[in-house]
Amino acid sequence: MSGLSVNVPVDARLTWKYESESPAIHALYERAKQAQWNASTDVDWSIDVPFGAPLPDDSTFAMTSFAASPMARFGRPMWDEFRWELQSWMVSQFLHGEQGAMVVAARLVEVVPDLDSKYYAASQAADEARHVEVFSRYLGEKLPHSYPITAPLRELLTDLLADTRWDITALGMQIVVEALAMAAFRLANSTFHDDLICDITRLVARDEARHVTFGVMSLQGVYGEMSSAELADREDMVLTSASLMRRRFLLEDVWERIEVDPQEGMDFAAHDALMIKYRQAIFSKVISSLGNIGLLTPKVRDGLEKLDLLGFADRSIRPGYRRRDVQTRG
């Protein structure tokens, strides 16, 4: 699998102010130091992953979704095959995204102006390295195959790494990609099918919560000082990122792997109520973070609504829905 190379000049900024200038970010850095874990010793790698084994029925809502899907004509075993393949695909995309996050964190060490932010970004780079290690090992040792990076994620990482403006890179990675990942990790107990990946994602989600917090702290107040043209660039970037990530969750690669016509599968994923709810659930953290940094503008809100991503805005689960129903397997 070929890699990704992005050549872009950035200004490396050093500071001679060694006193703390941001107590909140320094406190976050202290939390990061205390919460380190070891992917080799803090994960029980002896746990078996019975990839491909039959799975129990889902909720009535999920089974109704399956019955209306292009998988139904292949029979009930196809639902289990899809769920295992979806897990393999998601963990593969976690792996690729975490490597992107590692490179972005290293970039932020260079470009953020104050020492507290450099400290924290450096600790995040170490976190992301651990995440790459743990997901790579899980895929290599426990699953029969993995997936290459999806075209939408590759495009987004290219765009973020090619931009010389640090706040755009931070916005795309810390607020969009990291917040999506954190939400997906927190739904892992109801999305994935073995104890090992649930334990891994629990550990990783703890780190990601700090990463999103760092993104919010770093960007609060930035957009209120920008011109309308500068702000419009950031709004467009958010909507482009959201569109790419929504497209990623139409699961083209999964449909191809299980030999369902990709266009038929993507059309189903775009309109199925369960899959729409899942996308809305994982985007809810992105939306709340955008609100916290002052970038949930009318233009952004309207764009997200057109992408059908706004249903869970400002709340994790709508009243009346069970958590178990807000994920891809029911």
Side-chain angles (χ1 to χ4, degrees):
M1 179 170 52
S2 62
L4 173 64
S5 179
V6 181
N7 184 18
V8 56
V10 297
D11 294 329
R13 304 174 66 176
L14 280 72
T15 176
W16 312 131
K17 294 182 179 180
Y18 293 102
E19 303 81 10
S20 177
E21 298 181 81
S22 175
I25 291 179
H26 190 82
L28 193 66
Y29 172 58
E30 289 295 328
R31 283 169 48 197
K33 289 192 293 182
Q34 295 165 10
Q36 296 298 299
W37 51 277
N38 189 316
S40 298
T41 59
D42 291 327
V43 174
D44 183 0
W45 292 102
S46 69
I47 296 173
D48 182 52
V49 178
F51 187 89
L55 296 168
D57 279 352
D58 287 321
S59 66
T60 302
F61 186 21
M63 298 312 297
T64 299
S65 178
F66 166 67
S69 77
M71 296 174 282
R73 60 178 172 267
F74 298 100
R76 171 64 177 75
M78 176 59 89
W79 187 233
D80 292 348
E81 182 180 353
F82 169 76
R83 289 186 283 170
W84 280 114
E85 286 298 331
L86 181 61
Q87 176 168 319
S88 176
W89 177 86
M90 288 188 71
V91 177
S92 297
Q93 303 316 309
F94 291 158
L95 172 62
H96 304 314
E98 295 298 319
Q99 185 183 174
M102 178 173 64
V103 173
V104 166
R107 166 86 61 85
L108 291 177
V109 175
E110 283 192 285
V111 300
V112 291
D114 64 283
L115 198 62
D116 290 314
S117 294
K118 290 182 183 297
Y119 282 158
Y120 186 79
S123 76
Q124 180 175 331
D127 287 346
E128 307 296 7
R130 186 169 58 247
H131 300 171
V132 172
E133 175 191 356
V134 76
F135 287 131
S136 177
R137 182 171 176 179
Y138 175 82
L139 287 164
E141 295 183 7
K142 299 296 183 177
L143 300 191
H145 54 256
S146 59
Y147 283 78
I149 188 171
T150 62
L153 180 56
R154 185 185 180 95
E155 183 177 341
L156 178 57
L157 292 179
T158 302
D159 289 346
L160 296 180
L161 291 172
D163 205 299
T164 60
R165 296 164 292 183
W166 77 267
D167 77 282
I168 293 235
T169 304
L171 176 62
M173 181 54 69
Q174 305 287 119
I175 302 298
V176 178
V177 177
E178 295 277 58
L180 281 176
M182 185 182 76
F185 296 149
R186 287 182 169 174
L187 286 173
N189 283 334
S190 55
T191 307
F192 295 147
H193 315 298
D194 66 85
D195 291 338
L196 178 57
I197 194 60
C198 291
D199 288 346
I200 289 170
T201 51
R202 175 181 51 80
L203 288 168
V204 175
R206 196 171 65 193
D207 295 341
E208 298 294 3
R210 296 193 308 273
H211 302 171
V212 175
T213 298
F214 175 58
V216 170
M217 287 180 174
S218 299
L219 295 171
Q220 277 179 331
V222 170
Y223 300 115
E225 300 175 356
M226 287 188 174
S227 68
S228 57
E230 290 173 324
L231 185 63
D233 280 346
R234 277 68 179 177
E235 292 171 325
D236 290 342
M237 179 268 166
V238 167
L239 293 177
T240 296
S241 300
S243 179
L244 287 169
M245 292 302 92
R246 176 189 178 276
R247 196 175 91 206
R248 181 174 64 141
F249 279 99
L250 298 186
L251 308 178
E252 179 176 7
D253 301 336
V254 177
W255 303 123
E256 290 178 350
R257 180 70 61 86
I258 65 175
E259 298 183 351
V260 168
D261 177 74
Q263 190 57 57
E264 187 179 6
M266 291 169 70
D267 288 343
F268 167 73
H271 299 102
D272 175 67
L274 185 61
M275 292 193 173
I276 289 172
K277 283 187 179 182
Y278 179 76
R279 291 193 294 271
Q280 290 175 344
I282 62 171
F283 265 89
S284 63
K285 183 60 180 177
V286 177
I287 292 165
S288 64
S289 297
L290 289 171
N292 288 335
I293 62 174
L295 208 53
L296 191 59
T297 63
K299 177 181 177 179
V300 169
R301 181 177 284 275
D302 182 60
L304 293 172
E305 188 168 13
K306 288 177 180 176
L307 291 169
D308 211 0
L309 298 174
L310 211 57
F312 283 78
D314 305 321
R315 54 196 183 276
S316 58
I317 302 292
R318 273 186 184 176
Y321 291 125
R322 294 177 300 157
R323 177 188 172 107
R324 179 171 167 77
D325 284 336
V326 187
Q327 33 84 14
T328 52
R329 74 180 184 97

